[in-house]
């Protein structure tokens, strides 16, 4: 029953290094206590203390015990209605419990009490899943003739879409005993992902020295150094990071190989032809969307190569290496962008979405939806996580870079999607899938870029704004597709019984970099280890393609917002931001204004990319 895949369709979006600028020194705090309260989550909006959380965790287990007592054949629509009401009330509580444990831990992963609570949440969740999994089997056991009458029942109409999804999964369902067994394996299956999380936390990166100055190196600071105007700093950070990862290459390779094995195992167990199809069709996305993306982006790689040659000229390099890909614009601001300034920039940039949207956005930015600054022990990256019964929670590791402003816009797109879906949809239809999730977030990036380009008054400012936008195309449309292709290849290798070890993973990844970056970039050998620092490979398999497809979809919607005025605002707010998971994701996007079952939106986005490149080239030649 999409067992709250649906066991919790919580959207986590880790914005992967859109670094196009530099700062003097990022805002840093030695401890969480030093950070002013307005820049921190107030998780008390979920639970005032852990004691109340534990009481609700006990309640969830008690409700699960009561639910399993009702196990038995489905005999009436009244029975279905009662079971569904109890089922979703239980998972609504489970979701709230899970979110509290997650946000409590992620502000300090090293906290033993937070880890304990997180472990308790995981065990509680598995306990509930074990005692509710029978419902999907019983629904799927209903004979077709009787099911047809249930699905047309007026009483069950609020749950019609969910019930159709459940019944259609019948061909991939397993007997209840096997479902129970698979559920019990989940903590074991998730172990490599947990190990990656802890390994990333515990990994000590050595400092490096450039021109007699010592630089400490951490995962968040790596992005800062890669956007340094000092090429030697970029090179040293690049080599230090990846050479350190290479010291642990067999450990990282073992984690990833076991994740791939698990994905392939579950796909074959559920009678899917491969892991890719299992991941996509379970979210009602045709696997052709994935392969079509890779093929189309590959067709347009010459455009990327053209841009990279112009980039080399723009940043004034004789040759370009992998550590130069995030080199800053020569016209970048030379100081940190304060977070409060970033908020105002985002609000202004998103004005095409309308006054009602901006009012809610401003409210969220003022009322502690965002945990802003990095401290030791805080989870890396950025994401949004939500509970139906509380406001969204956005995690940042804000460093003051222009890319951090884009990340704020991106994650607040997720937050607004969650807010409006929770407001407009009942709980069982509010959880949206990742395919639509990334459209809302990347839409906000497009709008912000357009605003920055409009505000540019000099040629230098125009070049800088264009550069930032072109970089977003590179890291979102091309880089995320490269990630998607990497995952596809390694899953196929494992399915064909090829051994995945450090050397084979490094070769696949290095070869892809050569293909994507062409002769415009010297592909340094160290880049072969980059896969070991991409969280999605370890936490969210077959996720990254959605950044690219969504970037194309949101590019089209951004154009419509600029051209369609209030009508476009109302349509996109209603059909995208407020639809949750009430319809198949491709249908939601089509109603919002873009058909992603076809390759035309990707091709149209590439045409827009080419226009921006040509504009960039003309400005460069006119310098």
């Amino acid at each position: 029953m999409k067992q709250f895949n649906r066991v919790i369709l919580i959207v986590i979006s880790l914005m992967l290094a859109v670094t196009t600028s530099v700062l003097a020194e990022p805002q840093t705090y030695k401890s969480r206590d030093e950070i002013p309260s307005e820049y921190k989550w107030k998780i008390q909006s979920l639970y005032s203390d852990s004691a109340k959380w534990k009481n609700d965790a006990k309640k969830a287990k008690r409700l699960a015990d009561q639910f399993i007592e009702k196990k038995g054949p489905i005999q009436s629509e009244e029975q279905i209605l009662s079971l569904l009401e109890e089922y979703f009330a239980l998972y609504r509580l489970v979701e709230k419990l899970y979110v509290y444990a997650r946000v409590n831990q992620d502000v300090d992963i090293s906290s033993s009490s937070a880890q304990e609570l997180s472990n308790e949440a995981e065990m509680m969740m598995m306990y509930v899943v074990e005692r509710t999994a029978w419902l999907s089997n019983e629904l799927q056991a209903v004979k077709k003739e009787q099911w047809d009458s249930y699905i047309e029942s007026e009483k069950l109409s609020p749950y019609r879409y969910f019930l159709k999804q459940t019944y259609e999964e019948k061909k991939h369902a397993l007997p209840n005993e096997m479902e129970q067994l698979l559920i019990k394996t989940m903590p074991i299956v998730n172990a490599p992902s947990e190990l990656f999380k802890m390994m990333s936390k515990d990994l000590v990166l050595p400092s490096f020295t450039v021109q007699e100055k010592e630089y400490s190196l951490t995962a968040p600071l790596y992005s800062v150094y890669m956007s340094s105007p000092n090429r030697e700093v970029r090179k040293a950070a690049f080599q230090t990071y990846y050479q350190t990862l290479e010291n642990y290459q067999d450990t990282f390779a073992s984690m990833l190989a076991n994740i791939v094995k698990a994905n392939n195992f579950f796909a074959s167990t559920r009678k899917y032809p491969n892991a890719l199809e299992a991941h996509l069709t379970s979210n009602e996305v045709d696997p052709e969307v994935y392969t079509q993306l890779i093929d189309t982006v590959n067709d347009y790689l010459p455009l990327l190569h053209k841009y990279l040659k112009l980039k080399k000229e723009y940043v004034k390099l004789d040759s370009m290496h992998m550590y130069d890909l995030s080199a800053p614009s020569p016209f970048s601001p030379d100081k940190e962008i304060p977070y409060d300034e970033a908020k105002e920039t985002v609000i202004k940039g998103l004005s095409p979405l309308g006054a009602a949207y901006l009012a809610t956005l401003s409210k969220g930015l003022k009322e502690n939806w965002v945990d802003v600054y990095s401290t030791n022990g805080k989870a890396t990256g950025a994401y949004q996580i939500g509970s139906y019964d509380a406001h969204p929670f956005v995690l940042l590791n804000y460093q003051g870079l222009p890319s951090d402003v884009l990340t704020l816009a991106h994650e607040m797109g997720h937050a607004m999607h969650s807010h409006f879906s929770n407001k407009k949809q009942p709980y069982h239809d509010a959880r949206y899938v990742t395919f639509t999730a990334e459209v809302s977030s990347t839409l906000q990036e497009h709008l912000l870029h357009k605003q920055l380009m409009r505000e540019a008054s000099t040629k230098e400012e125009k070049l800088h704004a264009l550069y930032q936008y072109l970089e977003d195309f590179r890291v979102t449309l091309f880089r995320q597709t490269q990630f998607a292709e990497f995952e596809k290849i390694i899953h196929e290798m494992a399915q064909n019984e090829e051994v995945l070890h450090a050397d084979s993973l490094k070769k696949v990844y290095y070869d892809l970099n050569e293909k994507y970056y062409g002769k415009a970039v010297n592909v340094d050998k160290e880049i072969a280890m980059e896969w070991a620092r991409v969280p999605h490979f370890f936490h969210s398999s077959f996720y990254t393609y959605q950044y690219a497809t969504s970037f194309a979809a949101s590019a089209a919607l951004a154009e419509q917002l600029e051209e369609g005025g209030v009508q476009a605002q109302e349509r996109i707010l209603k059909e995208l931001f407020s639809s949750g998971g009430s319809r198949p994701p491709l249908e939601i996007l089509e109603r919002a204004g873009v058909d992603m079952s076809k390759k035309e939106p990707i091709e149209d986005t590439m045409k827009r990319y080419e226009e921006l490149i040509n504009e960039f080239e003309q400005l460069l030649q006119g310098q």
Side-chain angles (χ1 to χ4, degrees), residues 371-418:
D371 200 272
V372 181
Y373 295 112
S374 176
T375 53
N376 290 333
K378 184 177 178 179
T380 59
Y383 67 69
Q384 182 270 154
I385 192 169
S387 164
Y388 194 77
D389 292 308
H391 63 71
F393 291 83
V394 170
L395 181 137
L396 297 180
N397 279 278
Y398 190 83
Q399 300 286 335
L401 292 162
S403 61
D404 290 328
V405 184
L406 287 170
T407 300
L408 175 61
H410 181 103
E411 300 305 337
M412 286 306 294
H414 288 310
M416 297 295 282
H417 196 171
S418 294

Side-chain angles (χ1 to χ4, degrees), residues 325-341:
L325 285 175
S326 295
S329 164
F331 309 114
S332 297
D334 59 359
K335 60 182 180 64
E336 174 189 350
I337 301 171
Y339 176 69
D340 290 331
E341 181 182 325

Side-chain angles (χ1 to χ4, degrees), residues 21-24 224-234 315 317 324 326-330 332-334 401:
S21 190
V22 66
L23 68 165
V224 177
Y225 295 143
M226 293 313 293
S227 63
S228 170
N230 187 329
R231 194 183 195 199
E232 292 305 309
V233 169
R234 298 199 300 268
V315 298
L317 293 173
D324 295 319
S326 295
S329 164
S332 297
D334 59 359
L401 292 162

Side-chain angles (χ1 to χ4, degrees), residues 450 453 466 469-470 473 555 559 603-613 615:
K450 288 173 179 291
M453 289 171 63
L466 273 167
Y469 202 7
L470 288 166
F473 274 85
E559 295 291 332
E603 292 179 330
D604 290 343
T605 303
M606 289 297 185
K607 291 173 184 175
R608 175 59 176 152
Y609 180 56
E610 185 172 19
E611 291 172 359
L612 292 169
I613 290 173
E615 186 178 356

Side-chain angles (χ1 to χ4, degrees), residues 134-175:
W134 63 267
L135 180 57
S136 60
N137 291 91
E138 295 297 346
L139 288 170
Q140 291 162 355
V142 176
K143 293 184 178 179
K144 183 67 165 61
E145 312 80 57
Q146 186 62 58
W147 183 259
D148 289 341
S149 68
Y150 288 155
I151 209 70
E152 296 302 323
S153 164
E154 189 62 31
K155 289 181 181 178
L156 295 176
S157 60
Y159 299 99
R160 189 167 292 151
Y161 177 51
F162 176 81
L163 288 169
K164 284 182 177 179
Q165 287 179 296
T166 302
Y167 203 72
E168 287 169 3
E169 289 179 340
K170 186 175 183 177
K171 59 185 175 182
H172 298 296
L174 301 171

